[in-house]
Amino acid sequence: MKALTHLDEAGHARVVDVGDKEETRRVAVARARVATTAETIAAIRDGTVPKGDVVAVVRVASITGAKRTSELIPLCHPLALTHVAVDVVLDPRGVIEIVVRAECVGRTGVEMEAMTGASVGALAAYDMIKGVDRTARVLSIELLEKSGGRSGHFVRERSQVMLVSHRLCVDDVLEAVARDQAGATVVFLGTVRDHAEGHAVTLLEYEAYGSMALAEMQRCVDEIEAGDVRLAVAHRTGPLHVGELAVVCAASAPHRQDAFAAARALIDAIKHRVPIWKREHGVEGPRWVDWKEQPS
Amino acid sequence: MTCVHLLAFAGVREVLGTVDLEFPVEATTARGLLDAVCERYPKLAPYASSLRVAVNGTYAAWDDPVGPGDEVALIPPVAGG
């Protein structure tokens, strides 16, 4: 087993020793999104939220959150931040977006500062608006970008085609097809069901020829997209349990007929062409779906 | 003689017992390569008619050329979604 870096020999938690690492310039960008009503966004813009200036409070809260990270997150080093910048974007459709950029020159990454800043900003936003919209909720907290460490430059991709080993997020796919021309969006969700051909299924393992799967999904998208139809797809890899999302396809178009047709064409093409395989686990042990000797 | 970089997935990977290998080959076609692999791995032969071949990340027609340095994948029946 790989040694756990944040436990000592006796198994106790520790802040890992980075004393020998080179100091480098580190940058991280994180984003939190809070869903609320269009009326609340308008009230924030107009400065009529009873509690006061939401944007100013969120900005200060995010900065404070970033600076206090090492006190809140147990195994984080205290970092000497050189820069924290907060962008608060008000989407008139009812989303407050808080983007925190944190920088330092140091021996360890600054992403937890950006993430904590975004999180605290989101909670402060909720606190400011809960009097006018109790149903508001934090939609997401995520790292968008990170650079400066040994792990290289990370940028979260939000492309039209995605192949991921973590839980699929329907919103990511919807975001990729969102357009002002769209009057209809159709989403297809493929989930793991508990049976196949009359027998019970407990787990599916998805394997992909990654680079070709992405290229082939893009080719499917390019071939089906026409006019104002916009498509996106995200597919899972790895072990999936019953009920988990295996694939998300979305199609947007000015009118629903085209959106339905394109979504259907996309999932059909993906199932037919994209080099992804699944191993089904059931009572008779694992087997690769559709893998059988052919009659000679 | 030089090689193609052969990739094996899912059922093919289990029959070949490896995820990839350097497979020695002269200039040939997708069909020729699949036949050569089946000759060296007879256990793959019963599945051959269900396989497709991809060359450098794109499905190949059976008479498409395959030569040293290509990345060639043997694609079992796909089952995404």
Side-chain angles (χ1 to χ4, degrees), chain A residues 188 190 204 206-212 215-216 219 235 246-247 267 270-279 288-295, chain B residues 7-15 43-44 46-52 54-59 71-81:
Chain A
F188 171 82
L204 290 179
Y206 283 83
E207 176 174 322
Y209 176 8
S211 57
M212 180 175 167
E216 197 64 25
R219 285 191 279 268
H235 205 294
V247 62
I267 184 61
I270 283 164
K271 289 180 81 87
H272 181 62
R273 286 166 50 182
V274 177
I276 296 176
W277 304 272
K278 57 186 173 234
R279 182 153 58 178
W288 289 104
V289 173
D290 293 336
W291 177 245
K292 44 185 174 285
E293 295 190 12
Q294 304 297 305
Chain B
L7 303 178
F9 295 97
V12 175
R13 173 168 51 76
E14 291 185 351
V15 171
K43 282 186 179 157
L44 190 64
Y47 301 95
S49 67
S50 71
L51 300 180
R52 282 185 275 182
V55 179
N56 300 322
T58 308
Y59 285 114
E71 178 178 284
V72 181
L74 302 181
I75 309 280
V78 300

Side-chain angles (χ1 to χ4, degrees), chain A residues 53-95:
Chain A
D53 186 339
V54 175
V55 172
V57 170
V58 166
R59 184 170 286 121
V60 173
S62 289
I63 292 170
T64 307
K67 285 159 68 176
R68 295 280 174 119
T69 300
S70 68
E71 293 165 41
L72 296 169
I73 309 298
L75 303 186
C76 273
H77 297 82
L79 297 186
L81 292 170
T82 54
H83 182 62
V84 180
V86 182
D87 237 345
V88 182
V89 181
L90 300 175
D91 181 333
R93 291 167 290 195
V95 178

